[in-house]
Amino acid sequence: MIEEPDLVKIDPLLKPFRQILSRRHQSAVLRMLDLTDGRPLKDVVNHHLYYGLHFEDNEWVFREKAPAARQLFLIGDFSYWQVSQQYELHPIGNGDWEIRLPYNFLKHGMLYKLWMVWQGGAGERIPSCATRVVQNDETKIFSAQVWCPENAYTFNYSSPSKPSHPLIYEAHIGMSSEKEGVATYNSFREEVLPRIKALGYNTIQLMAVQEHPYYGSFGYQVANLFAPSSRFGTPDELKALIDEAHHHQMNVILDVVHSHAVSNEIEGLSRFDGSETLYFHGGERGKHPVWDSRCYNYGKSETILLLLSNLKYWLEEFHFDGFRFDGVTSACYFNHGIGVDFVDYKQYFDDNVDEDAIVYFTLANKLIKEINANALSIAEDVSGMPGMAFPVERGGIGFDYRMSMGIADFWVKLIKEKSDEYWSVGEMFFRMTDHRAEEKNISYVESHDQAMVGDKTLIFRLIDRYMYDSMSVFTPCLQVDRGVALHKMIRLITFSLCDGGYLNFMGNEFGHPEWIDFPREGNGWSYHYARRQWSLCDNETLKYHALKQFDIAMLSLTQNDDFLSSLPHRSCCNEADQVLAYQRGEFIFVYNFSPDKSYTDYEIPCELVDYEIVLNTDAPKFAGFDNVDDNQRYIPIRRGETNYIRLYLPARTALVLKEFRP
């Protein structure tokens, strides 16, 4: 009798699909054997070490894969950008081309490209494995650049230990300064890293690092997989940033885009050698209908080796501590999950699923763990694909965590569609804890998605126009009072009920007042909204400062108590009163979401120990009204088989209590 797969043991509803689950896992095993011939995957995946420009045996060697090309030439500063037979590459088999040049031929900082000839055409191309790509300020043309500084950066610090619960600060380098313009790796290292450390986050997620032609794409239209964006500085400056983060015991993960690629042909990989299908699907399947980008063909060895090598490159060359994989849902379904509600298990196993993509992500996670067993991998998947965040060796796809995208959607929907008095605390608890049994998740109230122009951040939905002139501690405003109170409570319940980790986008912890709108024709190419106004949270007379202080206090709950490793136990859920309480570890979390009802001597079940308040959203330092005595000691009373503490619960207030220890 064949033993049931582990996933089926956990979720019996998967029993009708066990053969498909087994086949997918077997496909990944066979694909890996085909690529490695039994060797470790990390020893085989060296695409980036073979192709591209390298200095080997006292000479320059350049190789490129272009099976559909007829001729290839290097052009650049050295040839005055003219095509010359002197710099022609020679075919060496398997669709590969090569040229060897004297050691003194190329120098650090020189610019170069490929001139490629194919049937029916020819054009400039940036090499597929270029590790440095720069844009001319005047012509706006991108070129590869020779990067071989005399004093290359040397890492000084090792990666910190893997956090048991990632507290992730999602950040965009370019918009991390208060100044209007593009910020740099150096300015982020000097000015923003200390802020993140002081807040209490243990992991930084960097967006938009892979080079992209259009700044306004937020980094999600990648052209050059191996090149850190030169807009923000040099590769060595990025290394220094990561090294400094490690010095402060913070992990750094890369928001990697392997789900699609920019459709630009001169800058990117689209029609790289004149054909549509070197790395992508041909025809309509190869075009993303919403993102106007190219869709990878994960069934091709060329594609898998390119992408896997890219992961190895970022882990080894830059010492990243893992990845957040963008657009996993889009990659795993041929319809990209567009307009689909995943309500039936059959949707995870029908002909719409790109099983080659599942194999790729399985191999990607296998590779990541081979290179660094402590590295993090996070899937941006909204579909709930079974096994997504389940170990490869047990038949899963292998991600450590899945982004809980539904939580952010829930808060948006709740605020938009229901008045405060109709908010259900039972539904809140369910939504915060609803996930597949085999998964760990990253929970968040809002990521960069909710901050983009055309959408609204949480604080903007709650306060709207009043945030511009009524956030002073000296300016009474009912709308601001409501918004600030709910901003704290919503963050606390999301954070304290997370199953794996928690994420916040840069500046949202203090309620950054404006959306993100990158320079574009429609806004006069302005940087006004593509920045972070740190001065607001530094000003103690503004309630932005109070929100920042609350975020620090909230995260500090984990410093001496690993309560997130315990399961939450709901002890009170009174829909009529809008009161919710649950115990997690040694903490009791109590919420009164009622907009206008305060309660005296409200009884909350507890253990038979004395309690004290360790966090109070209504405290004056958090822009509250000081209606609760934080110094009071709470002694349980016993009725029947249950112990209770009696609390004063002001409207729109949350309290966190812990065992009293004199």
Side-chain angles (χ1 to χ4, degrees):
M1 182 177 178
I2 299 175
E3 187 178 354
E4 292 279 20
D6 286 351
L7 275 172
V8 177
K9 293 177 184 177
I10 295 170
D11 185 355
L13 292 176
L14 289 171
K15 200 164 188 175
F17 311 104
R18 57 186 173 181
Q19 289 186 339
I20 299 177
L21 286 168
S22 296
R23 184 190 72 218
R24 289 177 179 175
H25 181 67
Q26 187 67 15
S27 295
V29 172
L30 293 174
R31 195 75 170 107
M32 186 164 65
L33 285 173
D34 179 57
L35 293 172
T36 66
D37 197 25
R39 291 172 291 169
L41 190 59
K42 67 178 181 179
D43 293 343
V44 175
V45 178
N46 292 309
H47 195 94
H48 61 298
L49 299 178
Y50 182 74
Y51 298 104
L53 182 65
H54 302 282
F55 194 71
E56 300 176 1
D57 299 326
N58 208 35
E59 65 178 351
W60 291 99
V61 180
F62 179 85
R63 302 184 190 95
E64 187 59 86
K65 177 168 284 296
R70 299 278 182 91
Q71 287 181 293
L72 271 72
F73 301 86
L74 273 184
I75 59 173
D77 294 338
F78 50 86
S79 70
Y80 302 97
W81 296 98
Q82 300 300 307
V83 176
S84 170
Q85 297 294 325
Q86 182 181 355
Y87 308 118
E88 183 175 6
L89 281 71
H90 305 287
I92 57 174
N94 197 35
D96 296 340
W97 302 75
E98 181 183 271
I99 186 172
R100 293 176 178 268
L101 298 165
Y103 74 94
N104 59 355
F105 179 75
L106 294 175
K107 296 181 180 179
H108 175 66
M110 279 187 167
L111 303 180
Y112 68 99
K113 286 185 184 181
L114 283 169
W115 180 264
M116 198 172 297
V117 181
W118 55 83
Q119 184 176 2
E124 292 182 354
R125 294 291 186 266
I126 291 178
S128 61
C129 292
T131 57
R132 172 75 169 165
V133 176
V134 296
Q135 185 179 27
N136 185 289
D137 291 336
E138 295 180 1
T139 65
K140 305 303 180 184
I141 292 174
F142 286 86
S143 302
Q145 186 178 46
V146 178
W147 190 257
C148 56
E150 288 187 14
N151 299 310
Y153 188 83
T154 302
F155 284 91
N156 298 303
Y157 304 101
S158 301
S159 294
S161 58
K162 180 180 180 179
S164 57
H165 301 283
L167 306 178
I168 303 173
Y169 200 80
E170 183 186 32
H172 184 284
I173 298 291
M175 56 170 291
S176 62
S177 171
E178 186 150 356
K179 300 175 183 177
E180 294 189 25
V182 180
T184 65
Y185 299 124
N186 282 343
S187 66
F188 189 93
R189 173 175 54 83
E190 295 167 358
E191 300 168 13
V192 183
L193 275 185
R195 290 182 178 274
I196 301 173
K197 178 65 177 177
L199 287 168
Y201 292 87
N202 58 34
T203 304
I204 302 171
Q205 177 180 306
L206 292 182
M207 310 171 58
V209 169
Q210 293 174 293
E211 191 62 86
H212 44 290
Y214 179 45
Y215 187 49
S217 73
F218 224 142
Y220 291 117
Q221 294 272 340
V222 169
N224 313 110
L225 291 163
F226 296 86
S229 181
S230 61
R231 289 184 182 88
F232 314 138
T234 70
D236 285 23
E237 289 166 350
L238 173 58
K239 291 176 181 179
L241 187 166
I242 296 169
D243 204 22
E244 184 71 10
H246 289 166
H247 175 53
H248 290 297
Q249 298 300 301
M250 292 185 288
N251 287 266
V252 186
I253 61 176
L254 175 67
D255 193 348
V256 70
V257 186
H258 283 184
S259 51
H260 66 124
V262 71
S263 58
N264 300 39
E265 296 176 6
I266 296 176
E267 295 88 1
L269 295 175
S270 183
R271 293 187 73 245
F272 182 70
D273 61 354
S275 71
E276 278 193 346
T277 57
L278 177 54
Y279 299 112
F280 308 103
H281 288 290
E284 291 303 311
R285 177 168 282 189
K287 302 174 183 176
H288 198 289
V290 175
W291 298 339
D292 188 29
S293 55
R294 297 302 310 278
C295 301
Y296 286 112
N297 182 349
Y298 303 100
K300 297 194 67 176
S301 295
E302 292 88 348
T303 304
I304 288 186
L305 290 171
L306 177 75
L307 297 179
L308 290 178
S309 296
N310 189 232
L311 299 176
K312 181 177 180 178
Y313 169 76
W314 290 111
L315 289 170
E316 293 189 341
E317 182 69 20
F318 288 88
H319 293 199
F320 275 102
D321 303 298
F323 303 95
R324 180 262 197 190
F325 283 78
D326 176 69
V328 171
T329 302
S330 176
C332 287
Y333 301 91
F334 287 123
N335 66 5
H336 310 293
I338 299 170
V340 177
D341 290 326
F342 290 89
V343 295
D344 191 323
Y345 270 43
K346 294 179 182 178
Q347 294 171 285
Y348 303 126
F349 303 99
D350 60 19
D351 293 338
N352 180 44
V353 178
D354 186 347
E355 295 198 358
D356 289 330
I358 292 176
V359 167
Y360 166 67
F361 287 121
T362 304
L363 296 184
N365 283 299
K366 176 74 173 172
L367 173 69
I368 291 167
K369 296 304 182 187
E370 282 187 11
I371 295 173
N372 180 0
N374 294 317
L376 297 169
S377 65
I378 303 169
E380 189 204 27
D381 171 47
V382 72
S383 75
M385 170 73 75
M388 184 65 73
F390 196 62
V392 172
E393 58 271 19
R394 296 180 64 189
I397 299 173
F399 289 99
D400 295 310
Y401 302 93
R402 184 176 67 86
M403 300 289 291
S404 283
M405 302 171 73
I407 290 178
D409 293 340
F410 165 72
W411 290 120
V412 170
K413 185 178 177 66
L414 184 68
I415 294 169
K416 284 175 63 176
E417 298 182 1
K418 291 187 178 181
S419 300
D420 299 15
E421 60 266 28
Y422 298 112
W423 287 13
S424 165
V425 291
E427 185 182 19
M428 290 180 195
F429 186 87
F430 172 75
R431 295 286 187 176
M432 298 303 108
T433 57
D434 180 31
H435 59 84
R436 298 192 57 80
E438 77 273 13
E439 288 187 342
K440 294 294 183 182
N441 292 264
I442 302 296
S443 300
Y444 59 96
V445 176
E446 51 189 342
S447 68
H448 71 272
D449 286 330
Q450 287 73 40
M452 296 295 287
V453 66
D455 205 339
K456 288 184 177 181
T457 61
L458 178 71
I459 199 75
F460 219 126
R461 290 188 183 281
L462 292 170
I463 299 178
D464 207 79
R465 62 182 176 86
Y466 296 98
M467 67 192 313
Y468 289 111
D469 54 18
S470 301
M471 288 293 283
S472 168
V473 295
F474 307 113
T475 306
C477 179
L478 293 176
Q479 289 85 351
V480 170
D481 292 343
R482 168 186 178 265
V484 168
L486 291 176
H487 193 273
K488 293 177 287 187
M489 295 178 72
I490 288 171
R491 272 173 156 66
L492 180 62
I493 191 172
T494 303
F495 164 70
S496 63
L497 287 175
C498 73
D499 178 58
Y502 175 76
L503 176 141
N504 166 67
F505 178 67
M506 178 175 66
N508 285 359
E509 73 278 2
F510 66 85
H512 196 278
E514 292 173 337
W515 55 83
I516 302 163
D517 189 13
F518 285 96
R520 56 187 174 85
E521 187 175 1
N523 65 16
W525 303 104
S526 170
Y527 286 91
H528 181 74
Y529 295 105
R531 60 192 180 111
R532 297 285 90 176
Q533 299 182 60
W534 304 109
S535 60
L536 296 175
C537 69
D538 294 338
N539 187 339
E540 296 185 15
T541 68
L542 297 178
K543 293 179 181 179
Y544 298 111
H545 176 77
L547 292 177
K548 181 189 78 170
Q549 295 305 113
F550 176 78
D551 202 66
I552 293 172
M554 181 180 77
L555 296 186
S556 71
L557 294 175
T558 64
Q559 287 182 357
N560 299 312
D561 192 308
D562 189 21
F563 74 93
L564 293 177
S565 294
S566 304
L567 292 175
H569 170 67
R570 194 175 73 177
S571 56
C572 176
C573 183
N574 190 318
E575 293 287 11
D577 294 343
Q578 292 182 284
V579 171
L580 172 70
Y582 50 87
Q583 186 158 351
R584 193 165 190 185
E586 295 185 359
F587 292 111
I588 297 177
F589 296 84
V590 186
Y591 303 82
N592 177 12
F593 273 96
S594 173
D596 53 11
K597 296 177 182 175
S598 299
Y599 305 105
T600 303
D601 291 337
Y602 206 95
E603 294 185 347
I604 301 296
C606 65
E607 302 292 331
L608 191 56
V609 295
D610 293 359
Y611 288 89
E612 63 178 339
I613 294 174
V614 292
L615 185 63
N616 170 17
T617 64
D618 194 51
K621 61 184 176 182
F622 305 139
F625 293 95
D626 199 20
N627 289 312
V628 179
D629 182 1
D630 288 351
N631 297 314
Q632 184 172 338
R633 181 175 166 185
Y634 296 88
I635 303 172
I637 59 172
R638 188 169 183 85
R639 184 180 305 109
E641 299 297 318
T642 305
N643 306 306
Y644 299 89
I645 50 175
R646 289 176 172 170
L647 302 173
Y648 175 54
L649 299 180
R652 291 200 185 111
T653 296
L655 304 174
V656 183
L657 300 100
K658 192 177 183 181
E659 179 181 346
F660 176 75
R661 293 174 181 171

